[in-house]
Amino acid sequence: MKLLSWVWLGLVIGVSFLATPAKFMATTLTRPTALEVGRYTFRVLDRLEWVLAAVLLVLVYRLQRHRALTRPLIGWTAALFVILAVQSFYYLPMLDVRVGLVMAGETLPPSHAHTFSGALEVLQAVTLFMVGHRAPDPRGQP
């Protein structure tokens, strides 16, 4: 569980905080192309995160059977699932529509959707850190 959390955290940091901003710094990459790449990148990341979440559920179940599951770990894990659900079923579809409209040439009024989505990414990163920090060491060491 600890390793899964750290790997997942690395993916979030790599995609959301490094690759995405870097893409918009490339001067030869047009905005519509950057948005299209971002659209597909986040779709793939979202699917991968649900696979990781399923594995995490299995690990939580195993910890529960061995009585190694603490209340704080349950809370952080539940928060992670809530964040992932909000991202997947609310923000990604909303942002996908906006990206499609921009790619079609429409000029849209400003929106805070990307700001809130970014804030959720930060919250997800903190939550993943806490899950990894709270998870028991598989070798039985503190």
Side-chain angles (χ1 to χ4, degrees), residues 18-77:
L18 296 175
T20 298
K23 168 177 55 206
F24 288 98
M25 291 181 207
T27 56
T28 58
L29 189 63
T30 66
R31 182 179 168 99
T33 302
L35 289 171
E36 184 177 18
V37 169
R39 171 191 257 180
Y40 288 105
T41 300
F42 279 97
R43 278 184 192 167
V44 169
L45 178 62
D46 184 59
R47 289 180 183 131
L48 178 57
E49 284 184 309
W50 280 108
V51 169
L52 294 172
V55 173
L56 185 64
L57 268 181
V58 170
L59 295 174
V60 165
Y61 175 74
R62 290 184 67 203
L63 282 177
Q64 184 270 335
R65 287 188 56 211
H66 291 89
R67 310 240 189 282
L69 197 58
T70 64
R71 284 183 188 254
L73 183 55
I74 293 169
W76 286 110
T77 303

Side-chain angles (χ1 to χ4, degrees), residues 1-9 52-53 55-57 59-60 63 68-83 122-138:
M1 184 172 195
K2 201 176 263 298
L3 177 62
L4 176 73
S5 301
W6 298 136
V7 169
W8 190 346
L9 176 59
L52 294 172
V55 173
L56 185 64
L57 268 181
L59 295 174
V60 165
L63 282 177
L69 197 58
T70 64
R71 284 183 188 254
L73 183 55
I74 293 169
W76 286 110
T77 303
L80 182 59
F81 276 87
V82 169
I83 292 165
V122 170
L123 189 58
Q124 181 185 34
V126 169
T127 304
L128 282 164
F129 175 83
M130 291 306 296
V131 169
H133 176 69
R134 293 281 186 172
D137 191 298

Side-chain angles (χ1 to χ4, degrees), residues 102-116:
V102 170
M103 288 172 55
E106 291 194 35
T107 303
L108 301 177
S111 167
H112 294 292
H114 276 95
T115 303
F116 288 123

